[in-house]
Amino acid sequence: MKYKIPRGTFDILPKDSASWQYVTSIFRKTASSYGYQEITTPIFEQSDLFERSSGESSDVVQKEMYRFEDRKGRSFALRPEGTAPVVRSYVENNLGVLSPRTKLYYIGPMFRYDRPQAGRYRQFYQYGIEFIGSDHPYYDAEVIALEMEFLKALGLQKFHLEINSVGCKSCSVDYETALKEYFRPHLPELCGDCQTRFEQKPRRLLDCKVPSCRQFRVQAPSQIDFLDAGCKEHFSSVQQYLQQMKIEYRINPAIVRGLDYYTNTAFEFIFEGLGAQNTLAGGGRYNYLIEQIGGKPTPAIGFAGGFERLLLALEEEGVALPVETKPTAYLICAGEAALAFAMPMLRDLRAAGIWVDYNADKTSFKAQMKASDQSGARFAIIIGEDELQEGFVTLKNLQSGEQLRLAPADLSGVLLKD
Ligand code: AMP
């Protein structure tokens, strides 16, 4: 019996782990510099949390959620997204009392029963931030700036930012009426899901992934033309702050986001070249969500991005991440006596954080030399007869061939400097 990994999931293999760690570390660093602290919530929650927050009719709840019952018949779901759990924790732990403006970030796996393809998986890793506690448009711009900073810090260039405003409850009414008027004559041409959306959530007609439905987006009425005075002002302030930070953006009225809780600012970071799955990150303001799941009405804004697409984008753009994939040094010993001499040194070098490899199965000097070349190490630490007798080590630069005679105690200093 051969086991196979579940469809739509993947192993992060050792050769790729360093890149994952690097990318997550840069996200943590960027989020910290904007004053965000990490929050970690369970990977499953009461399924009702997502039904209530995302909306019963959303694709996530209807088609994509991994729901299960525990032994007592309670209904849980593997989290399909990170915002609702973070907000649940914010409300449950009264985090807003500790700091009226709460800045949280998270990293972790999400689960959606989706059709797997490049950049779309059933278990995928998201990073995200949630800013809770102010409706000031400055924070919309700050949240956007954080993601921009993160992508730039990784060295990514071929991407752009698209923004929109989806208004508030009051300006949605006229807009949805206009949308329905626009779509009504096209109803027979729309997919089955869109026919339901037409009645329940006309705004989602703009979010459909089916190509024959997507063609109608271009001519559809724009929410921006239906914003009330307050929402208009908010949107123009966000743009002003972005301009002040010299952050370029495009306005895309078709960004509606898939979930029910978004208000005002919505945005996406698009990579120019990932095929259909080109949204690196997306988010927006969600002023109604906190009250929707039992907290006091509190304005908030956040975004989430996917690490898989980010790594694909970095690869496609040819960005070389500064990760160690090869050992710094390779130890070559002529026999057991040389190894005994090397052992304390090997331990000290590793304690100093230097990656040193040694192959105990290769006994001949020649075989060890060959293995050191194959390892891709930058240096060989050689302990032969002469070295053993006189108590020194030879450090050979495997690229230039240059050799240094060193006291064992000086080795780590030289390797760390290089
Ligand atoms: P969403 O939560 O749908 O707004 O998605 C935010 C980001 O998460 C997207 O821009 C993607 O980078 C990533 N993402 C969402 N769904 C998937 C998926 N099924 N597989 C891989 N990444 C995903």
Side-chain angles (χ1 to χ4, degrees), residues 112 114 119-121 124 126 257 279-282 304-306 308-309:
R112 292 183 199 169
D114 215 334
R120 185 167 286 280
Y121 310 94
F124 56 98
Q126 274 190 342
R257 312 290 303 143
T279 311
L280 294 172
E308 295 80 7
R309 285 185 204 175

Side-chain angles (χ1 to χ4, degrees), residues 76-234:
F76 290 102
L78 294 181
R79 60 183 183 195
E81 57 97 30
T83 300
V86 168
V87 170
R88 191 264 312 135
S89 177
Y90 170 88
V91 173
E92 190 174 351
N93 295 296
N94 281 318
L95 297 183
V97 174
L98 296 174
S99 64
R101 277 170 301 284
T102 309
K103 291 179 156 186
L104 304 167
Y105 77 84
Y106 60 86
I107 289 175
M110 305 295 159
F111 307 84
R112 292 183 199 169
Y113 191 85
D114 215 334
R115 197 167 53 82
Q117 53 191 286
R120 185 167 286 280
Y121 310 94
R122 291 184 173 165
Q123 173 173 328
F124 56 98
Y125 288 81
Q126 274 190 342
Y127 59 93
I129 69 156
E130 313 297 350
F131 171 84
I132 309 174
S134 169
D135 190 32
H136 199 294
Y138 162 82
Y139 291 109
D140 303 41
E142 193 187 81
V143 160
I144 292 172
L146 193 164
E147 171 67 0
M148 182 67 99
E149 201 56 49
F150 170 53
L151 298 178
K152 290 219 160 133
L154 290 173
L156 205 65
Q157 286 177 348
K158 286 193 226 143
F159 69 90
H160 66 264
L161 163 67
E162 296 184 355
I163 62 169
N164 188 25
S165 172
V166 299
C168 63
K169 270 181 194 151
S170 79
C171 40
S172 287
V173 180
D174 286 348
Y175 176 56
E176 295 199 347
T177 309
L179 261 186
K180 280 176 105 165
E181 271 167 32
Y182 167 76
F183 274 104
R184 197 180 305 278
H186 303 297
L187 257 181
E189 299 159 72
L190 299 179
C191 71
D193 284 344
C194 277
Q195 306 212 354
T196 318
R197 288 177 186 129
F198 179 84
E199 288 307 332
Q200 292 176 348
K201 302 268 174 211
R203 200 184 279 271
R204 288 233 181 88
L205 291 165
L206 300 172
D207 213 19
C208 184
K209 292 170 193 134
V210 177
S212 55
C213 297
R214 283 181 86 82
Q215 60 171 327
F216 297 114
R217 292 199 321 180
V218 188
Q219 303 281 327
S222 160
Q223 171 75 70
I224 294 171
D225 298 329
F226 291 81
L227 295 180
D228 64 20
C231 291
K232 223 181 245 170
E233 162 104 37
H234 188 99

Side-chain angles (χ1 to χ4, degrees), residues 341 386-393 406-408:
F341 172 73
D386 293 351
E387 285 84 355
L388 190 57
Q389 265 169 28
E390 292 172 40
F392 70 95
V393 297
L406 293 171

